[in-house]
Amino acid sequence: MGAGAMGSGIASVAAQAGFAVKLYDRVPGAARAGLIGLASDLARQVKKGRLTADEARKIQEGLQAVESLEEFADCSLVLEAIAEKLEAKVDLFCALDDIVSADAILATNTSSLSIDAIAAPTRWPGRVVGMHFFNPPVAMRLVEVVSGAMAEPIVADRVFELAAAWGKSPVRCSSTPGFIVNRVARPFYGEALKLLEARACAPEVIDTVVKQGGGFRMGPVELMDFIGHDVNFAVTRSVFEAFFQDPRYRPSLVQKALVDAGRLGRKSGVGFYTYLDGQPTTVVPEQAWPAPGIVRLGRDATSGLATRFRNSELEVIEADGSDGLRIGGVLILETDGRTALQREIETGEAVVVVDLVMDERTAAARSAATSPGVSRMQRDAIGAAFAALGQTIHYIDDVPGLVLGRTLAMIANEAADALQQGVASASDIDSAMVKGANYPFGPLAWSESLGPSRLVSILDALSLDSPDGRYRASPLLRRAALTGASLAPV
């Protein structure tokens, strides 16, 4: 049901798996137009050698455009990909009650609406299930199989098996706002918007640090521009309202201003970035550093950063009686949420706080903040020392958690809450975020590698800075920090 980009794409996925598919759209001629578009796509795949001409022909033979709902009478599964409006989906499924057999499954591709709200008005709500594909459905591997409170387990089992037979990677989850991906991914955008609200740094710095320090394929700012701010803002508002205006999901006035101004991102030619021929015209300025300062390292220092410096070609002086790292006489500390100013007051030394990175061996950038006691010459000497490791330092305003630290902490926190609330299993949460959001690995896995205690410390520091409840730590994550328990999938 629905011959737009999503509906046609899902039809193509099913047909390529060898299933007979009927495609319908309430707009006359739209289904046939959808099949013409699919034929063109198949021809391109043949030209690129991804399909043989015979395979393409068989796929096309399995696709049929139909002009009325009654044509679905013999279907064992009807999947809707129509407008994201509750009334429209309910009306459709209630109409299908009188057409399809009692054991046919009704699946919805909704990304944010309650499965129970869609199912309840139908004659057999137990057969209604969520089958949420990601765009473009032909390329994206993930399918969220979403069960409402009234769903019959066998229905979810059949849809899970069907998605796997279509070559997808299905995960199971319950019908809660945002399901897995759209819920757990909110902080990826939200923390970038918070940094921009605070004028802590430029958009391109956020994207560079998240990609080159975190290993993400796209930064949050460029991803919002790519998705479209109207779409991203609407999803955020939907999740915010569905969670009864929980401050954790509050939309950003910065993004609202873009939407109001029609600055929607790539599709309008301007968002946070300005685009020329589809490419952003803004670039990150190159950093020029003087000679690096002398690195002094405690013999007992065992962090990944200390090991990087110890194994570098820099002049490193190791000293007894200290486990700290100092460059040019300045104490270097990885963020635990406290600001550089706080750390200078606590230690009595000039301090530079540096951001977390996902993998010290491969990270090429990180953000940092200086305390008032750090001179420009010392700041540059520290930048030069990190550059010798292959890491570009981007100095930003002295905000709690910097760029990547706060982002990783908030995403892991959301994943931990979803796990505690039974939204999905640990393995399904991490799998969904890797396959549906292209994360380098799952947030519950990185909570293990970065340490729950450090993540909770960052959240607590953010809570002190913004005491509205947005940064409250998940009870499950805090418990893991206190006990040393692992949240990562087994």
Side-chain angles (χ1 to χ4, degrees):
M1 291 290 308
M6 284 299 294
S8 295
I10 295 168
S12 179
V13 169
Q16 290 189 47
F19 288 76
V21 182
K22 295 179 179 180
L23 184 63
Y24 170 82
D25 196 287
R26 65 184 180 86
V27 177
R32 294 188 183 279
L35 293 192
I36 292 171
L38 289 178
S40 298
D41 180 65
L42 290 171
R44 284 192 294 270
Q45 293 190 55
V46 171
K47 190 174 182 179
K48 293 179 179 180
R50 295 173 183 170
L51 290 173
T52 66
D54 189 53
E55 287 171 334
R57 179 183 56 77
K58 288 181 179 178
I59 292 168
Q60 285 184 268
E61 288 175 352
L63 289 161
Q64 177 188 356
V66 297
E67 299 298 329
S68 71
L69 289 181
E70 284 70 25
E71 297 278 2
F72 288 118
D74 61 344
C75 291
S76 56
L77 169 76
V78 179
L79 194 155
E80 68 79 17
I82 63 173
E84 190 73 346
K85 296 179 180 178
L86 178 60
E87 288 186 2
K89 294 178 188 295
V90 169
D91 289 346
L92 170 62
F93 280 3
C94 288
L96 288 168
D97 270 342
D98 296 324
I99 296 171
V100 300
S101 65
D103 60 352
I105 294 172
L106 302 183
T108 171
N109 185 54
T110 182
S111 60
S112 60
L113 298 175
S114 164
I115 304 302
D116 291 313
I118 296 171
T122 67
R123 190 176 301 164
W124 296 291
R127 68 172 175 179
V128 178
V129 67
M131 195 176 187
H132 179 215
F133 286 77
F134 288 75
N135 197 24
V138 173
M140 296 297 286
R141 296 159 58 197
L142 182 68
V143 174
E144 291 177 323
V145 179
V146 190
S147 297
M150 295 174 284
E152 297 175 9
I154 192 172
V155 172
D157 290 344
R158 288 174 63 191
V159 169
F160 187 95
E161 293 166 2
L162 184 66
W166 289 1
K168 296 303 177 183
S169 298
V171 295
R172 300 174 188 268
C173 60
S174 61
S175 181
T176 55
F179 309 143
I180 301 174
V181 174
N182 278 330
R183 172 183 177 171
V184 177
R186 295 323 324 144
F188 188 68
Y189 314 111
E191 291 312 297
L193 292 166
K194 276 291 185 182
L195 288 165
L196 294 171
E197 283 179 2
R199 301 174 66 86
C201 57
E204 54 268 28
V205 170
I206 296 172
D207 284 341
T208 299
V209 169
V210 169
K211 289 188 293 185
Q212 297 183 15
F216 291 83
R217 293 187 189 179
M218 294 183 75
V221 180
E222 65 178 326
L223 184 54
M224 286 186 282
D225 266 9
F226 178 79
I227 293 168
H229 290 286
D230 52 343
V231 175
N232 189 261
F233 184 67
V235 173
T236 301
R237 287 185 63 178
S238 174
V239 173
F240 178 60
E241 294 297 334
F243 275 106
F244 303 115
Q245 301 186 345
D246 187 327
R248 186 177 285 172
Y249 313 103
R250 183 176 291 125
S252 167
L253 290 173
V254 169
Q255 191 171 43
K256 181 180 185 299
L258 290 178
V259 174
D260 290 346
R263 298 166 63 101
L264 306 181
R266 287 194 185 191
K267 61 187 176 184
S268 68
V270 61
F272 282 113
Y273 300 128
T274 299
Y275 294 85
L276 182 63
D277 296 329
Q279 297 300 315
T281 57
T282 306
V283 295
V284 181
E286 292 187 6
Q287 305 279 2
W289 307 111
I294 294 175
V295 179
R296 296 184 182 275
L297 189 62
R299 294 187 192 280
D300 298 330
T302 58
S303 70
L305 182 57
T307 301
R308 268 305 288 279
F309 275 111
R310 189 174 282 118
N311 294 335
S312 73
E313 296 182 0
L314 290 166
E315 180 183 357
V316 178
I317 298 174
E318 296 201 53
D320 290 323
S322 172
D323 62 356
L325 168 64
R326 290 170 176 79
I327 301 173
V330 177
L331 180 62
I332 310 299
L333 298 171
E334 289 184 277
T335 184
D336 64 358
R338 288 175 287 180
T339 64
L341 174 59
Q342 287 176 289
R343 303 310 299 270
E344 180 176 276
I345 293 170
E346 292 163 359
T347 64
E349 296 186 60
V351 172
V352 167
V353 175
V354 298
D355 210 345
L356 301 183
V357 293
M358 196 76 86
D359 188 336
E360 201 68 60
R361 298 165 299 177
T362 59
R366 68 203 308 160
S367 65
T370 64
S371 71
V374 178
S375 70
R376 178 61 183 264
M377 185 178 296
Q378 289 173 316
R379 189 181 100 144
D380 289 351
I382 292 164
F386 275 88
L389 298 182
Q391 294 183 8
T392 300
I393 288 288
H394 295 273
Y395 287 105
I396 70 169
D397 192 28
D398 190 17
V399 293
L402 300 174
V403 174
L404 192 59
R406 70 192 289 161
T407 302
L408 296 180
M410 280 293 280
I411 295 172
N413 194 49
E414 196 63 47
D417 254 1
L419 178 61
Q420 183 171 23
Q421 294 163 10
V423 173
S425 68
S427 59
D428 278 351
I429 290 170
D430 273 9
S431 178
M433 300 315 295
V434 171
K435 295 170 182 174
N438 288 320
Y439 283 7
F441 53 104
L444 295 173
W446 78 55
S447 74
E448 175 79 4
S449 62
L450 295 175
S453 59
R454 181 179 291 273
L455 299 180
V456 168
S457 177
I458 292 172
L459 293 167
D460 287 346
L462 286 161
S463 289
L464 286 173
D465 192 61
S466 301
D468 63 351
R470 177 186 179 92
Y471 295 105
R472 67 189 186 277
S474 161
L476 186 62
L477 187 63
R478 190 178 294 280
R479 192 180 310 148
L482 293 171
T483 64
S486 173
L487 302 183
V490 178

